[in-house]
């Protein structure tokens, strides 16, 4: 009899069931959107200012930054046509449109002037390029090297800083 009473009590007693809480994740930890073989283009008044293509483009979950793998950019706002820029990776601030490109970065304008650096930053508001690390600028038969470079969007006005050296005749110093 005691066994029967205990069995009834066991089944009718009120005990809360454990409630499984849903997993919570912060917006910053959510994965972004990834595109393959896509491009980002900025236009103004129907004219393309620049475009940036890449093997992979990733938009952060907060939509503040975009990351590019093997980017190739073409900047059209120049007097001499365009500037093509390549690198291993890039990051773009979606609000300011500032771009940082890293890893074997090379920029070539339509006239054949080039500059290479470890990192190149483009500031959209100022329309200027800044390069740091192993900077080499070649224009016609002149080669310039330095630690840092600042250039206008036409690669006409160039400022080299840090161990700057210019050699006429095309030989790298």
């Amino acid at each position: 009899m005691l066994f029967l009473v205990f069995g009834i009590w066991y089944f009718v007693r009120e005990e809360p069931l454990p409630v499984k809480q849903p997993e919570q994740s912060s917006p910053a930890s959510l994965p972004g959107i990834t595109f393959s073989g896509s491009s980002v283009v900025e236009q103004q008044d129907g004219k393309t200012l620049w475009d940036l293509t890449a093997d992979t483009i990733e938009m952060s979950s907060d939509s503040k930054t975009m990351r590019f793998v093997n980017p190739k950019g073409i900047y059209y706002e120049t007097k001499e046509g365009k500037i093509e820029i390549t690198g291993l990776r890039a990051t773009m601030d979606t609000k300011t449109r500032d771009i940082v490109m890293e890893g074997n970065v090379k920029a070539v304008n339509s006239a054949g002037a080039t500059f290479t650096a470890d990192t190149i930053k483009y500031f959209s508001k100022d329309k200027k390029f800044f390069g740091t690390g192993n900077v080499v600028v070649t224009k016609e038969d002149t080669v310039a090297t330095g630690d840092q470079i600042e250039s206008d969007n036409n690669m006409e006005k160039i400022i080299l800083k840090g161990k700057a050296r210019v050699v006429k005749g095309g030989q790298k110093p």
Side-chain angles (χ1 to χ4, degrees), residues 9 17 37 51 57 170:
W9 172 81
L17 296 173
D51 66 60
I57 301 173

Side-chain angles (χ1 to χ4, degrees), residues 40-44 47-52 68 72-78 82-86 89-102 105-107 115 117-132 149-155:
V40 177
V41 178
E42 183 172 356
Q43 295 183 331
Q44 184 177 19
K47 180 183 172 192
T48 301
L49 303 177
W50 57 263
D51 66 60
L52 186 59
F68 302 81
K72 178 181 180 184
I74 302 176
Y75 181 76
Y76 296 98
E77 279 193 290
T78 69
K82 62 185 178 182
I83 298 174
E84 293 187 27
I85 305 171
T86 57
R89 62 196 163 277
T91 304
M92 181 177 79
D93 182 313
T94 59
K95 190 171 246 179
T96 64
R97 300 281 194 238
D98 295 344
I99 299 170
V100 177
M101 196 175 286
E102 300 174 301
V105 183
K106 182 177 183 178
F115 85 80
D118 294 337
T119 302
I120 293 178
K121 297 176 184 180
Y122 171 71
F123 292 97
S124 183
K125 181 181 175 188
D126 300 327
K127 296 184 180 179
K128 288 189 176 184
F129 293 94
F130 294 87
T132 57
I149 184 174
E150 178 182 330
S151 175
D152 63 353
N153 63 342
N154 292 305
M155 291 177 65

Side-chain angles (χ1 to χ4, degrees), residues 136-144 166-173:
V136 178
V137 180
T138 306
K139 189 170 185 177
E140 297 170 0
D141 68 341
T142 303
V143 177
V166 179
V167 175
K168 186 103 170 139
Q171 298 295 322
K172 184 176 175 181

Side-chain angles (χ1 to χ4, degrees), residues 61-74:
S61 61
D62 60 7
S63 299
K64 291 182 180 178
T65 58
M66 295 178 82
R67 290 183 238 9
F68 302 81
V69 175
N70 293 323
K72 178 181 180 184
I74 302 176

Side-chain angles (χ1 to χ4, degrees), residues 22-40:
E23 291 184 30
Q24 304 230 351
S25 59
S26 66
S29 67
L30 294 175
I33 300 171
T34 302
F35 303 94
S36 294
S38 298
S39 63
V40 177

